[in-house]
Amino acid sequence: MNVVNESPRRKELIRQAAQLFVQEGFDRTTVRMLAHEMGIKSGSLFHHFRDKQEILAAVIEEGTYNALTLARQALAECGDSPNERLHAMARAHLETLLTDRNAHVVALYEWRSLDAKAREHLSHLRDAYEELWERVIDEALAAGLIEGDRFLVSRFVMGALNWTVRWYDPEGVHKPEDLARELVSMMVSSAAT
Amino acid sequence: MNVVNESPRRKELIRQAAQLFVQEGFDRTTVRMLAHEMGIKSGSLFHHFRDKQEILAAVIEEGTYNALTLARQALAECGDSPNERLHAMARAHLETLLTDRNAHVVALYEWRSLDAKAREHLSHLRDAYEELWERVIDEALAAGLIEGDRFLVSRFVMGALNWTVRWYDPEGVHKPEDLARELVSMMVSSAAT
DNA sequence: GTCTATAGCGGGATAGAC
DNA sequence: GTCTATCCCGCTATAGAC
């Protein structure tokens, strides 16, 4: 079973599970809560998923796949300058994280709840997404847009982005777009602009 | 009972609990695991703590208090320039997070596992620490060392710092000191240096 | 202050009828 | 595909001896 050919029904169940996992955390979310959210009884849940782990794996696959897809699309549609590409990546990342506000968050914050097998299976998808980021960071470094250690800079950026889920208020004045702009301008050496 | 006058024994138990909470997460850490780590049986644990929640609260209080203490000390010892003060705060933050590598991490990542009462009680300590940060960020903004929205900049910085626990390797080449330096130099407008 | 023993509960998961 | 009923387990917490 792959993320690209899930039934619409299953996709909807995964969406609802993601919401609960974000609100409560994976461990505190019971199968009874999941079933209730889905409008069925807990026994019926196991017709759709082998066990609770499989639900988590499905959510994380969905979240990472969405992030990867949106990022690729954003890069394809934006301009060629390192600045534009950096901004496009940050914006896409924040949009899957804050607007859709579900599966991608779970992918980031519950990765360690995955068992070894699921981690193995999903690591490729995750690596593909991280490679996309590394390429864009490298381009920005090569162009002198930003400075510093490749490894450290990319992790600081990911940290700043991923931590937003802890404080971002969807009802507030800022949009993901604004955050992306502000973060990129913070990183960019003023000398280079 | 306050963090400042815990018995040495209890402090040691708190330290060991912190380690397990970081490794496994609060929910997956059982009282049996905690007791085992402390070298006693699970029943004996409740002679020292009323319940599992109280252990978490003690760890988080310890972690936040440590961070606050080290940060104050770092500010008292460093120079007066906004750059030095920013660097001192980042370094102190990373040291409690990565070197001590225990209670402060729990304070950041398991805050939401606290019940309402404990959150109420500990929020003052937490606020005191955040105010310290806000003051230093404000000074840097006022001096033109960094630019941007006060609210957003401080949260990006905290994100970059707090996310380090996810990837930092204590055996690796970088020390907390190096990370602090690199982060500050990334944020500082080159025009201002 | 630590032990053994266990109560009591809620969790994940299964079986079989419909 | 969903239901009811239930198993079985491991968890937190307690009681009372030492």
Side-chain angles (χ1 to χ4, degrees):
Chain A
M1 178 64 82
N2 198 304
V3 65
V4 297
N5 50 16
E6 310 257 29
S7 71
R9 176 72 199 280
R10 191 174 152 109
K11 278 209 109 156
E12 173 64 10
L13 298 180
I14 291 170
R15 236 203 73 255
Q16 293 172 315
Q19 196 193 326
L20 272 176
F21 288 163
V22 170
Q23 275 172 30
E24 310 287 332
F26 176 70
D27 293 311
R28 273 186 292 274
T29 303
T30 70
V31 297
R32 286 171 175 89
M33 290 164 68
L34 287 164
H36 181 79
E37 183 75 18
M38 297 168 180
I40 56 181
K41 299 297 178 184
S42 69
S44 312
L45 212 163
F46 294 91
H47 175 75
H48 301 278
F49 304 92
R50 181 166 25 258
D51 53 24
K52 200 185 164 192
Q53 265 289 322
E54 190 180 291
I55 308 181
L56 179 62
V59 169
I60 291 184
E61 180 167 17
E62 165 93 4
T64 311
Y65 183 80
N66 287 351
L68 182 58
T69 305
L70 196 68
R72 279 182 176 148
Q73 192 183 323
L75 285 180
E77 289 171 359
C78 78
D80 285 341
S81 79
N83 197 316
E84 280 172 287
R85 288 170 64 80
L86 202 55
H87 179 262
M89 278 298 285
R91 179 161 167 258
H93 191 88
L94 288 171
E95 270 168 7
T96 52
L97 219 47
L98 304 173
T99 306
D100 180 27
R101 199 151 189 45
N102 279 319
H104 192 193
V105 178
V106 177
L108 289 173
Y109 282 88
E110 300 288 357
W111 179 267
R112 74 173 188 172
S113 299
L114 284 174
D115 62 26
K117 229 185 192 86
R119 265 210 280 266
E120 171 77 21
H121 172 241
L122 294 174
S123 60
H124 300 92
L125 199 55
R126 198 197 197 208
D127 291 347
Y129 184 64
E130 291 186 353
E131 274 164 31
L132 221 56
W133 262 105
E134 279 171 26
R135 205 178 314 157
V136 173
I137 297 268
D138 278 343
E139 291 166 4
L141 283 168
L145 187 69
I146 57 180
E147 287 160 22
D149 181 90
R150 176 181 182 272
F151 176 89
L152 294 179
V153 166
S154 61
R155 272 156 188 79
F156 286 150
V157 173
M158 295 308 294
L161 290 171
N162 294 341
W163 198 255
T164 56
V165 304
R166 299 289 192 96
W167 54 264
Y168 182 73
D169 172 17
E171 314 295 329
V173 292
H174 296 297
K175 295 294 143 222
E177 160 76 23
D178 306 325
L179 304 194
R181 190 178 311 285
E182 181 87 4
L183 180 64
V184 171
S185 86
M186 189 179 100
M187 295 165 47
V188 166
S189 328
S190 356
T193 49
Chain B
M1 179 63 82
N2 199 305
V3 68
V4 297
N5 49 16
E6 310 256 29
S7 72
R9 176 71 198 279
R10 192 175 152 110
K11 275 210 113 158
E12 173 63 9
L13 298 180
I14 291 170
R15 235 203 74 254
Q16 293 171 316
Q19 195 194 326
L20 273 175
F21 289 163
V22 170
Q23 276 172 31
E24 309 288 331
F26 175 71
D27 293 311
R28 273 186 293 274
T29 303
T30 69
V31 296
R32 287 174 176 91
M33 292 164 67
L34 288 164
H36 181 78
E37 183 76 17
M38 298 169 181
I40 56 180
K41 299 297 180 186
S42 69
S44 312
L45 211 162
F46 295 92
H47 174 75
H48 301 279
F49 304 93
R50 179 163 30 258
D51 52 25
K52 200 185 163 191
Q53 265 290 320
E54 189 180 292
I55 307 179
L56 178 63
V59 170
I60 291 185
E61 180 167 18
E62 165 93 4
T64 311
Y65 182 80
N66 287 350
L68 182 58
T69 304
L70 196 69
R72 279 182 176 150
Q73 191 182 323
L75 285 180
E77 288 169 2
C78 77
D80 285 342
S81 78
N83 197 315
E84 281 172 284
R85 288 170 64 79
L86 202 55
H87 179 261
M89 279 298 286
R91 180 161 165 258
H93 191 88
L94 289 171
E95 271 168 6
T96 53
L97 220 47
L98 304 173
T99 306
D100 180 29
R101 198 149 190 47
N102 280 319
H104 192 193
V105 178
V106 177
L108 289 173
Y109 282 89
E110 299 289 357
W111 180 268
R112 74 173 189 172
S113 299
L114 284 174
D115 62 26
K117 228 185 195 88
R119 265 209 280 268
E120 171 77 20
H121 172 239
L122 293 174
S123 59
H124 301 93
L125 200 55
R126 196 196 198 210
D127 290 348
Y129 184 64
E130 291 185 354
E131 275 165 29
L132 221 55
W133 262 106
E134 280 172 26
R135 207 177 314 156
V136 173
I137 297 266
D138 278 344
E139 291 165 6
L141 283 167
L145 187 69
I146 57 179
E147 289 160 22
D149 182 271
R150 175 180 182 273
F151 177 89
L152 293 180
V153 166
S154 61
R155 273 158 187 79
F156 286 150
V157 172
M158 295 307 295
L161 290 171
N162 294 340
W163 198 255
T164 57
V165 304
R166 299 290 191 97
W167 54 265
Y168 181 72
D169 172 16
E171 314 294 329
V173 292
H174 297 296
K175 296 294 144 221
E177 160 77 24
D178 306 325
L179 304 193
R181 190 178 311 284
E182 182 87 7
L183 180 63
V184 171
S185 86
M186 189 179 101
M187 294 165 48
V188 166
S189 329
S190 357
T193 50

